[in-house]
Amino acid sequence: MWWWQFNHDGPVFEPFGTGQLMVWLFLALACIGLILFQSYLRREPLARQTIKWFIISTFLLGQLALQLFYITNGIWNPRFSLPLKVSDLAWIAVVIMLITGSRFWTYFAFYAGTSSALLTIVFPDMERYGFPHFRFLHFFITHALIVVGVVYQVVVKRTFISFRSLFVVWGALNAAAVVAFLVNLYFDANYMYLMEKPASPSPYDFFGPWPYYLLTLQAIALTAFLCLYAGYRFVLKKFLLF
């Protein structure tokens, strides 16, 4: 059962290898499918409910499995096992969004969730876990479903994304960073990469040393949010009928 072991002798992660490229392909197909079949899904409540609860249950079961992975391998530690990463906040936002239809959580999932998920799908901090290790599957499925959940809510459920909400989410993300920073100080942790850069190669490497890269991230977050909004407006004009 090397695929469940923290230290293992199975395949290591290969950047831009077949496994990662397949994730990109399946994610693209899922999003394109939601856009192309949006009218059908709006007419079929059973299909909508199936997609909705599949995403929700996958997130919840995935988080339970991750905690069991930490516990059974004897490595559970508040320094990295708490759901305080941006991706954790994102999947929690998607779950609340799908259950309640909350506009705020939709905005948060759209801006903070989609931008962080896409970035980490391209530049994953995977260390040594290649396909089909549990950590590989959990990491990529979770991040891909964040994007799929947002596309479902915006395209199928037709939740409107306002430009002003961009700044609301930017402020909320900074508030969450303050909480994560305090937790980092208490546990000597590195949630949201506030204390040091990821160990694996990533765009953080071009943002300067700590703490200057944190300031760069502020501008990058706003730029990413603006790009997402521009893409949303393009899709809105081409495929949606609000």
Side-chain angles (χ1 to χ4, degrees), residues 4 61-76 134:
W4 185 258
L61 291 174
Q63 181 59 208
L64 175 61
L66 179 62
Q67 296 300 320
L68 287 174
F69 171 78
Y70 291 145
I71 293 170
T72 57
N73 280 278
I75 59 169
W76 194 96
F134 165 76

CSV table of all heavy atoms in Angstrom, one decimal, residues 4 61-76 134:
chain,number,residue,atom,x,y,z
A,4,TRP,N,-0.6,4.8,0.0
A,4,TRP,CA,-1.2,5.4,1.2
A,4,TRP,C,-0.1,5.8,2.2
A,4,TRP,O,-0.4,6.3,3.3
A,4,TRP,CB,-2.2,4.4,1.9
A,4,TRP,CG,-3.0,5.0,3.0
A,4,TRP,CD1,-2.7,4.7,4.4
A,4,TRP,CD2,-4.1,5.9,3.0
A,4,TRP,NE1,-3.6,5.4,5.1
A,4,TRP,CE2,-4.5,6.1,4.3
A,4,TRP,CE3,-4.8,6.5,2.0
A,4,TRP,CZ2,-5.5,6.9,4.7
A,4,TRP,CZ3,-5.9,7.3,2.3
A,4,TRP,CH2,-6.2,7.5,3.6
A,61,LEU,N,-15.7,13.9,1.8
A,61,LEU,CA,-15.0,12.6,2.0
A,61,LEU,C,-13.5,12.7,1.7
A,61,LEU,O,-12.7,12.0,2.4
A,61,LEU,CB,-15.6,11.6,1.0
A,61,LEU,CG,-17.1,11.2,1.2
A,61,LEU,CD1,-17.6,10.3,0.1
A,61,LEU,CD2,-17.2,10.4,2.6
A,62,GLY,N,-13.1,13.6,0.8
A,62,GLY,CA,-11.7,13.8,0.6
A,62,GLY,C,-11.0,14.4,1.8
A,62,GLY,O,-9.9,14.0,2.1
A,63,GLN,N,-11.7,15.4,2.5
A,63,GLN,CA,-11.1,15.9,3.7
A,63,GLN,C,-11.0,14.9,4.8
A,63,GLN,O,-10.0,14.8,5.5
A,63,GLN,CB,-11.9,17.1,4.1
A,63,GLN,CG,-11.3,17.9,5.3
A,63,GLN,CD,-9.9,18.4,5.2
A,63,GLN,OE1,-9.2,18.5,6.1
A,63,GLN,NE2,-9.6,18.7,3.9
A,64,LEU,N,-12.0,14.1,4.9
A,64,LEU,CA,-12.0,13.0,5.9
A,64,LEU,C,-10.8,12.0,5.6
A,64,LEU,O,-10.1,11.6,6.5
A,64,LEU,CB,-13.3,12.3,5.9
A,64,LEU,CG,-13.4,11.0,6.8
A,64,LEU,CD1,-13.2,11.4,8.3
A,64,LEU,CD2,-14.8,10.3,6.7
A,65,ALA,N,-10.7,11.7,4.3
A,65,ALA,CA,-9.6,10.8,3.9
A,65,ALA,C,-8.2,11.4,4.2
A,65,ALA,O,-7.3,10.7,4.6
A,65,ALA,CB,-9.8,10.4,2.4
A,66,LEU,N,-8.1,12.7,3.9
A,66,LEU,CA,-6.8,13.3,4.2
A,66,LEU,C,-6.5,13.3,5.7
A,66,LEU,O,-5.3,13.0,6.0
A,66,LEU,CB,-6.9,14.8,3.7
A,66,LEU,CG,-5.6,15.6,3.9
A,66,LEU,CD1,-4.4,15.0,3.1
A,66,LEU,CD2,-5.9,17.1,3.5
A,67,GLN,N,-7.4,13.6,6.5
A,67,GLN,CA,-7.2,13.5,8.0
A,67,GLN,C,-6.8,12.1,8.4
A,67,GLN,O,-5.9,11.9,9.2
A,67,GLN,CB,-8.4,14.1,8.7
A,67,GLN,CG,-8.7,15.5,8.5
A,67,GLN,CD,-7.6,16.5,8.8
A,67,GLN,OE1,-6.9,16.3,9.8
A,67,GLN,NE2,-7.3,17.5,8.0
A,68,LEU,N,-7.5,11.1,7.8
A,68,LEU,CA,-7.1,9.7,8.1
A,68,LEU,C,-5.7,9.4,7.6
A,68,LEU,O,-5.0,8.6,8.3
A,68,LEU,CB,-8.2,8.8,7.5
A,68,LEU,CG,-9.6,8.7,8.1
A,68,LEU,CD1,-10.5,7.9,7.3
A,68,LEU,CD2,-9.5,8.2,9.6
A,69,PHE,N,-5.4,9.9,6.5
A,69,PHE,CA,-4.0,9.7,6.0
A,69,PHE,C,-3.0,10.2,7.0
A,69,PHE,O,-2.0,9.6,7.3
A,69,PHE,CB,-3.9,10.4,4.6
A,69,PHE,CG,-2.5,10.5,4.1
A,69,PHE,CD1,-1.9,9.3,3.5
A,69,PHE,CD2,-1.7,11.6,4.2
A,69,PHE,CE1,-0.6,9.4,3.0
A,69,PHE,CE2,-0.4,11.6,3.7
A,69,PHE,CZ,0.2,10.5,3.1
A,70,TYR,N,-3.2,11.5,7.5
A,70,TYR,CA,-2.3,12.0,8.4
A,70,TYR,C,-2.2,11.2,9.7
A,70,TYR,O,-1.1,10.9,10.2
A,70,TYR,CB,-2.7,13.4,8.8
A,70,TYR,CG,-2.5,14.5,7.7
A,70,TYR,CD1,-3.5,15.5,7.6
A,70,TYR,CD2,-1.5,14.4,6.9
A,70,TYR,CE1,-3.3,16.5,6.6
A,70,TYR,CE2,-1.3,15.4,5.9
A,70,TYR,CZ,-2.2,16.4,5.8
A,70,TYR,OH,-2.1,17.4,4.8
A,71,ILE,N,-3.4,10.8,10.2
A,71,ILE,CA,-3.5,10.0,11.5
A,71,ILE,C,-2.9,8.6,11.3
A,71,ILE,O,-2.1,8.2,12.2
A,71,ILE,CB,-4.9,9.9,11.9
A,71,ILE,CG1,-5.5,11.3,12.3
A,71,ILE,CG2,-5.1,9.0,13.1
A,71,ILE,CD1,-7.0,11.4,12.5
A,72,THR,N,-3.2,7.9,10.3
A,72,THR,CA,-2.8,6.5,10.1
A,72,THR,C,-1.3,6.5,9.8
A,72,THR,O,-0.6,5.5,10.1
A,72,THR,CB,-3.5,5.8,9.0
A,72,THR,OG1,-3.4,6.5,7.8
A,72,THR,CG2,-5.0,5.6,9.4
A,73,ASN,N,-0.7,7.5,9.3
A,73,ASN,CA,0.7,7.6,9.1
A,73,ASN,C,1.5,8.2,10.2
A,73,ASN,O,2.7,8.3,10.2
A,73,ASN,CB,1.0,8.4,7.8
A,73,ASN,CG,0.8,7.6,6.5
A,73,ASN,OD1,1.7,6.8,6.1
A,73,ASN,ND2,-0.3,7.7,5.9
A,74,GLY,N,0.7,8.6,11.3
A,74,GLY,CA,1.4,9.1,12.5
A,74,GLY,C,2.0,10.4,12.3
A,74,GLY,O,3.0,10.8,13.0
A,75,ILE,N,1.5,11.2,11.4
A,75,ILE,CA,2.1,12.6,11.1
A,75,ILE,C,1.2,13.7,11.4
A,75,ILE,O,1.5,14.9,11.0
A,75,ILE,CB,2.6,12.6,9.7
A,75,ILE,CG1,1.5,12.4,8.7
A,75,ILE,CG2,3.7,11.6,9.5
A,75,ILE,CD1,1.8,12.7,7.2
A,76,TRP,N,-0.1,13.5,11.9
A,76,TRP,CA,-1.0,14.6,12.1
A,76,TRP,C,-0.3,15.6,13.0
A,76,TRP,O,0.2,15.3,14.0
A,76,TRP,CB,-2.3,14.1,12.7
A,76,TRP,CG,-3.4,15.2,12.6
A,76,TRP,CD1,-4.3,15.2,11.7
A,76,TRP,CD2,-3.6,16.3,13.5
A,76,TRP,NE1,-5.1,16.3,11.9
A,76,TRP,CE2,-4.7,17.0,13.0
A,76,TRP,CE3,-2.9,16.8,14.6
A,76,TRP,CZ2,-5.2,18.2,13.6
A,76,TRP,CZ3,-3.4,17.9,15.2
A,76,TRP,CH2,-4.5,18.6,14.7
A,134,PHE,N,-2.3,8.5,-3.0
A,134,PHE,CA,-3.4,9.2,-2.5
A,134,PHE,C,-3.3,10.7,-2.5
A,134,PHE,O,-4.2,11.4,-2.9
A,134,PHE,CB,-3.7,8.7,-1.1
A,134,PHE,CG,-4.7,9.6,-0.3
A,134,PHE,CD1,-6.0,9.6,-0.6
A,134,PHE,CD2,-4.2,10.5,0.6
A,134,PHE,CE1,-6.9,10.4,0.1
A,134,PHE,CE2,-5.1,11.4,1.3
A,134,PHE,CZ,-6.4,11.3,1.0
